[in-house]
Amino acid sequence: MTDWDGLTPPDAAEIEAMARSALAGLPAEFAEGAAGVAIRVAEFAPDEVLDELQIDDPFELTGLYDGVPLTEKSVSDQPGQPDIIWLYRRPILDEWAARGDVSLGDLVVHVVTHEMAHHFGWSDDDIARIDKWWE
């Protein structure tokens, strides 16, 4: 039996470091467009976000892109808040533990890549056509 004393799950800073590593690994053609996107880690999505997305179980949302996709931006837009990729630590850890077939780093990379695809203007259907992660 494994002695679990002293082992702790990754905190928000460690999840953020994994996410930043994923961004650093983006192909050059995407790096410039991704440069202005902020990464934030929270335990769970706020209730308002879950309500807006009609999600009842907060463990169902591992990440969220909050911003204006590049395909919808205009040079005449007024500067506003930065585009943000939200990572929800507890749902990510829960999914990682439940799956058991991927590393935590790979899961974080996947969530970041999925949300970054939204930043580049891809829909969930667009992403699903090329991303067979859940099969």
Side-chain angles (χ1 to χ4, degrees), residues 47-97:
D47 289 338
E48 311 81 64
V49 169
L50 295 170
D51 290 345
E52 182 180 326
L53 297 173
Q54 298 179 335
I55 296 174
D56 294 326
D57 183 354
F59 282 96
E60 290 182 17
L61 188 62
T62 56
L64 181 71
Y65 171 68
D66 181 14
V68 178
L70 290 177
T71 55
E72 298 175 20
K73 289 188 186 229
S74 167
V75 293
S76 63
D77 288 343
Q78 293 296 315
Q81 76 173 30
D83 295 327
I84 301 171
I85 291 178
W86 286 97
L87 300 174
Y88 301 117
R89 189 182 84 86
R90 291 284 310 279
I92 288 171
L93 293 175
D94 190 68
E95 181 176 327
W96 169 64

Side-chain angles (χ1 to χ4, degrees), residues 6-131:
L7 295 180
T8 58
D11 63 15
E14 291 168 301
I15 298 288
E16 182 177 341
M18 290 177 204
R20 294 205 179 281
S21 177
L23 291 179
L26 286 173
E29 62 266 25
F30 296 108
E32 184 178 340
V37 178
I39 299 289
R40 301 287 184 268
V41 180
E43 289 299 294
F44 290 99
D47 289 338
E48 311 81 64
V49 169
L50 295 170
D51 290 345
E52 182 180 326
L53 297 173
Q54 298 179 335
I55 296 174
D56 294 326
D57 183 354
F59 282 96
E60 290 182 17
L61 188 62
T62 56
L64 181 71
Y65 171 68
D66 181 14
V68 178
L70 290 177
T71 55
E72 298 175 20
K73 289 188 186 229
S74 167
V75 293
S76 63
D77 288 343
Q78 293 296 315
Q81 76 173 30
D83 295 327
I84 301 171
I85 291 178
W86 286 97
L87 300 174
Y88 301 117
R89 189 182 84 86
R90 291 284 310 279
I92 288 171
L93 293 175
D94 190 68
E95 181 176 327
W96 169 64
R99 286 182 62 111
D101 64 347
V102 297
S103 72
L104 180 57
D106 285 346
L107 179 58
V108 170
V109 167
H110 175 77
V111 174
V112 168
T113 302
H114 179 100
E115 300 310 330
M116 187 59 70
H118 289 307
H119 173 67
F120 285 105
W122 292 33
S123 70
D124 279 330
D125 288 340
D126 295 333
I127 296 166
R129 278 193 285 281
I130 64 161
D131 183 6

